[in-house]
Amino acid sequence: MSAQLAAALAAEEAAIYAYGVLGVKLTGEGDRTEARAAEAIHRGRRDVLVSRLSALQASTAPAPAGYDLPFDVTDRASALKLAIQVEDGVAQAWRAVLPVTTGADRATGLNALVDAAVRATRWRRLGEVTPVTMAWPGRA
């Protein structure tokens, strides 16, 4: 279980970094508000994971100072594309938590998966990407 939680932590940390990069390329106040809210949620989930992994006495690799993005973020369209990719990646990380957890850990994982899937759908809608939803969020 701790390996899957550590992977979810890494995904949350990467999401925080990505929102810092993509947020400056969003043009509308609604887009920026959505990005700020998403980053805050990812920061909260990161903090919960750090506490949970500490309680499990599990060690994790420190977050890198920076990340290699999959493409250059140069405008609103590429910022939205990155936001979608980030949320899909977070959903994948949390989906892997579900089969190895029970109780509160599983509820946390399921809530995080659903939240990431909903945010990815919002970004797809804003970016006019189809399909807007995925049949199985978090599935690679």
Side-chain angles (χ1 to χ4, degrees):
M1 169 177 65
S2 61
Q4 290 83 359
L5 290 175
L9 174 61
E12 294 292 353
E13 290 170 336
I16 293 164
Y17 179 85
Y19 275 104
V21 172
L22 69 87
V24 298
K25 297 299 182 180
L26 296 174
T27 53
E29 188 57 37
D31 290 353
R32 288 192 299 270
T33 299
E34 185 79 24
R36 278 189 219 105
E39 183 180 357
I41 289 166
H42 289 297
R43 286 183 184 281
R45 291 210 192 278
R46 177 206 53 201
D47 295 347
V48 167
L49 282 166
V50 167
S51 295
R52 183 63 180 128
L53 287 164
S54 177
L56 292 171
Q57 297 181 338
S59 62
T60 61
Y67 293 82
D68 290 328
L69 297 176
F71 48 83
D72 290 335
V73 179
T74 58
D75 57 10
R76 181 179 185 267
S78 58
L80 293 174
K81 181 179 174 183
L82 181 59
I84 293 164
Q85 189 168 334
V86 162
E87 295 301 344
D88 285 343
V90 169
Q92 287 176 357
W94 281 106
R95 183 180 173 102
V97 169
L98 299 180
V100 297
T101 55
T102 60
D105 288 330
R106 185 174 175 127
T108 297
L110 183 58
N111 288 334
L113 168 61
V114 170
D115 287 348
V118 168
R119 272 190 306 280
T121 298
R122 285 186 193 132
W123 291 123
R124 282 187 184 89
R125 185 182 50 78
L126 289 170
E128 300 177 356
V129 174
T130 57
V132 175
T133 60
M134 296 181 70
W136 302 102
R139 184 179 281 180

